[in-house]
């Protein structure tokens, strides 16, 4: 069973567990002698669940913490990513058993296998948390759709660089092959692209159809990114999560979150639907027309805070900020986490 640290009741914005510990009781006046190395260890863990947006510092309320609610593990322990912020700023106390394990490993996170990561995901969220429904709903398979403005060849070059830095490569790491194709309007007439001397220019001008590109996360793990123009200024960049197993999928999602972060000012919104319970194209209306579609609510939806689009009233949706965007996240209730 995974051991949990740092799940304080103040981190739950809705229906906090009164029996959970308070972070105010864990604040300490001085840092441990090896706090910096412990923080390096914590930042090197495997992210098994990623959230978008940011939450305010629950103690001082003067700082936003990106990705709060994301979960990190070393294979034995599980903690929310925001715990690192509180250890750094307030020297929040950590359990002695955890500190013993960290020091015993010489501050190096053990390798967390895909099998172990999958076990942890299933323990925390249940065996079917991210799977499509049994009826194979339209769009099933999962996707992460970004809506970016003014993507030209130069900005696409930067975006490809950000994807590569996050661990997603346009060429297979062993063979060096690139898998690239173009479709016409309606997804017809799939044509492989054999030679793309200027990939950024091709992605910047997908025409009236769609350009699809494999992004390799490992020699046997990839996501397909599909690029299409919605109007003169907006490009839909949709990352296909279909076929990825639970631990690999979440690592790919975390990589995509890292790649998107430098482009958040140019992002008009995004939709993260791990199970693909909603169809992809209907979310275009939210970005272009600011009309919320009648689709099952995905994991996360971000819209321009100045546009005023609001999801249907629901007590399962939490709201956080992400630059100029408002992010609506589906709340995942897990009473055992605290």
């Amino acid at each position: 069973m995974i051991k949990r640290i740092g799940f304080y009741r103040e981190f739950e914005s809705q229906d906090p567990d009164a029996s959970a510990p308070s972070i105010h009781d864990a604040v300490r006046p001085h840092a441990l002698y090896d706090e910096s190395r412990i923080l390096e260890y914590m930042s090197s863990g495997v992210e098994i669940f990623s959230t978008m947006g940011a939450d305010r510092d629950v103690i001082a309320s003067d700082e936003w913490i990106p990705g709060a609610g994301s979960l990190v593990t070393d294979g034995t322990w599980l903690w929310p990513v925001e715990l690192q912020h509180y250890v750094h700023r307030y020297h929040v106390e950590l359990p002695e058993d955890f500190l013993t394990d960290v020091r015993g490993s010489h501050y190096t996170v053990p390798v967390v296998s895909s099998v172990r990561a999958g076990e942890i995901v299933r323990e925390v969220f249940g065996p079917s948390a991210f799977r499509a429904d049994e009826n194979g709903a339209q769009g099933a398979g999962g996707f992460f759709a970004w809506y970016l403005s003014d993507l030209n060849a130069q900005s696409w070059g930067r975006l490809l660089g950000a994807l590569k830095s996050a661990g997603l490569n346009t060429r297979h790491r062993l063979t060096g092959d690139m898998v690239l194709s173009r479709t016409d309007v309606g997804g017809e007439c799939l044509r492989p692209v054999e030679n793309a001397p200027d990939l950024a220019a091709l992605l910047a001008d997908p025409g009236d159809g769609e350009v699809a590109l494999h992004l390799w996360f490992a020699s046997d793990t990839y996501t397909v990114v599909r690029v299409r123009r919605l109007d003169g200024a907006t490009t839909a960049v949709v990352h296909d999560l279909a076929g990825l197993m639970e631990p690999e999928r979440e690592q790919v999602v975390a990589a995509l979150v890292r790649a998107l972060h430098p482009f958040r000012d140019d992002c008009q919104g995004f939709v993260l639907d791990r199970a693909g319970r909603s169809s992809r194209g209907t979310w275009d209306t939210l970005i272009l027309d600011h009309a919320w579609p009648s689709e099952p609510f995905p994991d996360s939806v971000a819209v321009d805070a100045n546009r005023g689009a609001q999801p249907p009233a629901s007590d399962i949706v939490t709201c956080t900020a992400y630059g100029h965007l408002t992010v609506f996240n589906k709340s995942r209730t897990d009473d055992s986490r605290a």
Side-chain angles (χ1 to χ4, degrees):
M1 179 175 291
I2 194 73
K3 302 176 183 179
R4 306 167 192 243
I5 56 172
F7 292 96
Y8 296 103
R9 61 174 177 262
E10 290 84 2
F11 292 176
E12 296 294 333
S13 58
Q14 294 182 327
D15 299 323
D17 183 356
S19 65
S22 171
I23 193 170
H24 296 281
D25 296 332
V27 172
R28 295 294 179 265
H30 304 293
L32 295 170
Y33 70 91
D34 56 350
E35 183 180 89
S36 62
R37 300 192 70 183
I38 292 168
L39 286 169
E40 289 177 6
Y41 180 97
M42 295 176 72
S43 66
S44 300
V46 175
E47 193 166 308
I48 63 162
F49 179 72
S50 304
T51 62
M52 299 293 290
D55 286 344
R56 283 192 182 275
D57 181 311
V58 298
I59 296 177
S61 299
D62 61 349
E63 188 174 349
W64 289 94
I65 307 170
S70 300
L71 300 179
V72 182
T73 185
D74 61 1
T76 301
W77 297 87
L78 180 78
W79 60 89
V81 72
E82 62 265 38
L83 180 61
Q84 299 165 53
H85 164 85
Y86 294 99
V87 172
H88 173 72
R89 184 171 182 182
Y90 303 105
H91 317 305
V92 162
E93 187 176 28
L94 297 169
E96 283 298 327
D97 288 353
F98 173 72
L99 295 175
T100 298
D101 286 351
V102 173
R103 291 162 181 158
S105 67
H106 304 289
Y107 307 96
T108 300
V109 173
V111 173
V112 181
S113 69
S114 296
V115 172
R116 178 56 182 150
E119 291 173 349
I120 296 169
V121 168
R122 288 187 288 274
E123 179 182 338
V124 174
F125 295 114
S128 59
F130 303 142
R131 294 176 186 166
D133 61 40
E134 295 178 356
N135 298 321
Q138 184 180 12
F143 61 92
F144 192 177
W146 305 349
Y147 296 92
L148 300 173
S149 59
D150 301 320
L151 273 180
N152 54 30
Q154 183 178 11
S155 54
W156 256 113
R158 295 197 304 272
L159 181 53
L160 290 171
L163 288 165
K164 183 176 182 179
S165 296
L168 292 161
N169 297 278
T170 59
R171 293 187 179 276
H172 193 280
R173 296 183 180 182
L174 299 179
T175 67
D177 292 337
M178 179 185 294
V179 182
L180 183 67
S181 62
R182 183 195 287 272
T183 58
D184 294 333
V185 178
E188 300 177 355
C189 301
L190 175 67
R191 300 192 304 275
V193 178
E194 301 295 343
N195 185 24
D198 193 344
L199 177 60
L202 177 64
L203 294 170
D205 185 18
D208 295 328
E210 180 180 88
V211 173
L213 172 69
H214 281 46
L215 293 174
W216 297 92
F217 186 71
S219 59
D220 59 350
T221 304
Y222 66 88
T223 177
V224 178
V225 58
R226 306 179 189 277
V227 181
R228 54 189 167 84
R229 282 279 187 177
L230 298 183
D231 57 22
T234 306
T235 299
V237 181
V238 183
H239 301 273
D240 192 351
L241 303 178
L244 296 174
M245 300 299 289
E246 287 175 355
E248 288 82 6
R249 181 183 55 243
E250 208 54 40
Q251 292 173 45
V252 168
V253 169
L256 292 172
V257 169
R258 293 194 298 271
L260 177 61
H261 189 69
F263 296 86
R264 62 192 181 280
D265 292 341
D266 300 315
C267 185
Q268 296 174 261
F270 58 77
V271 179
L272 173 58
D273 191 347
R274 289 175 171 84
R277 295 185 178 93
S278 61
S279 53
R280 306 173 189 189
T282 53
W283 292 103
D284 300 350
T285 61
L286 179 61
I287 303 302
L288 297 181
D289 303 326
H290 321 301
W292 206 276
S294 56
E295 291 276 351
F297 196 90
D299 295 275
S300 300
V301 179
V303 296
D304 190 328
N306 297 318
R307 303 284 182 162
Q310 294 289 326
S314 173
D315 59 359
I316 66 168
V317 178
T318 61
C319 176
T320 62
Y322 188 64
H324 69 288
L325 299 174
T326 300
V327 183
F328 301 98
N329 290 304
K330 181 185 290 185
S331 177
R332 295 188 178 275
T333 303
D334 183 356
D335 294 336
S336 65
R337 260 176 48 177

